[in-house]
Amino acid sequence: MIKKKAFTLLELIVSLAIISVLVLIISSMISLNFKVSSRIFKEDRSYKEACNAMLYVENIVREAEEIEETNDPVCNFKALMGEGSVYSFYFKEDKKNLMVEIDGKKGQGNNWIGMINDMILTYDGDEKVLIWMEGLDGEIYQTSINIGERR
């Protein structure tokens, strides 16, 4: 009798068990990688949105010829630019949007600046503008701009 070389049923079952364990381990590693990547992406987006909004406000404040106080509790100032342009910042709480209203020589308009959870922009009436923003991830970002005397 000629003996054929083949796998036994037990060898096939053991090899299938080993392969299924390897597939399970690899799939769980890929799933974990996607979760971590998604979380990092959201945190990074929140940070970039808040920093972009802060830099925009800072640039406008630094370029302004004059800062005028208002009674708004969220942003208590207007930035008066050259050529009669006026920049006013406001926050759309329902959509979490920081906006700027521009009233200038070429007309009026609104611009979207960034998405944040909350903000407070405060001019102390003397020489400092304080910026406080809460990012979409709940992190707090704040800075102070020393503007000194204007022209």
Side-chain angles (χ1 to χ4, degrees):
M1 177 165 144
I2 300 175
K3 199 171 191 187
K4 294 182 182 178
K5 294 186 178 182
F7 293 109
T8 64
L9 185 58
L10 183 60
E11 289 172 331
L12 288 175
I13 291 174
V14 168
S15 64
L16 284 173
I18 291 171
I19 290 172
S20 64
V21 167
L22 289 174
V23 167
L24 180 67
I25 290 171
I26 290 171
S27 67
S28 66
M29 287 173 48
I30 290 173
S31 173
L32 178 64
N33 188 23
F34 279 125
K35 287 179 185 175
V36 169
S37 177
S38 176
R39 182 181 50 106
I40 289 172
F41 174 76
K42 288 178 184 174
E43 289 174 359
D44 190 47
R45 179 177 177 221
S46 173
Y47 171 76
K48 286 179 180 177
E49 289 277 350
C51 284
N52 183 47
M54 290 180 81
L55 287 173
Y56 184 90
V57 173
E58 182 176 357
N59 286 339
I60 296 299
V61 167
R62 289 193 186 280
E63 290 176 11
E65 289 183 0
E66 186 179 342
I67 304 293
E68 182 180 290
E69 286 188 83
T70 65
N71 292 327
D72 188 350
V74 175
C75 177
N76 75 336
F77 66 89
K78 292 181 180 184
L80 307 175
M81 309 299 275
E83 303 173 4
S85 296
V86 178
Y87 284 67
S88 304
F89 299 98
Y90 64 97
F91 181 62
K92 283 187 166 181
E93 194 168 339
D94 58 334
K95 296 186 179 178
K96 300 185 179 201
N97 288 338
L98 173 59
M99 305 288 290
V100 62
E101 181 180 328
I102 303 168
D103 185 7
K105 185 175 167 182
K106 297 180 181 178
Q108 289 183 305
N110 297 327
N111 276 343
W112 175 79
I113 298 171
M115 291 182 66
I116 54 176
N117 275 342
D118 200 4
M119 74 157 202
I120 299 174
L121 305 176
T122 307
Y123 174 56
D124 70 359
D126 189 22
E127 60 184 33
K128 284 189 181 177
V129 172
L130 303 171
I131 302 174
W132 180 93
M133 292 184 187
E134 179 183 343
L136 294 173
D137 63 351
E139 288 289 321
I140 304 297
Y141 304 97
Q142 53 189 350
T143 188
S144 173
I145 306 167
N146 188 0
I147 58 174
E149 291 184 29
R150 297 294 162 163
R151 300 179 209 171

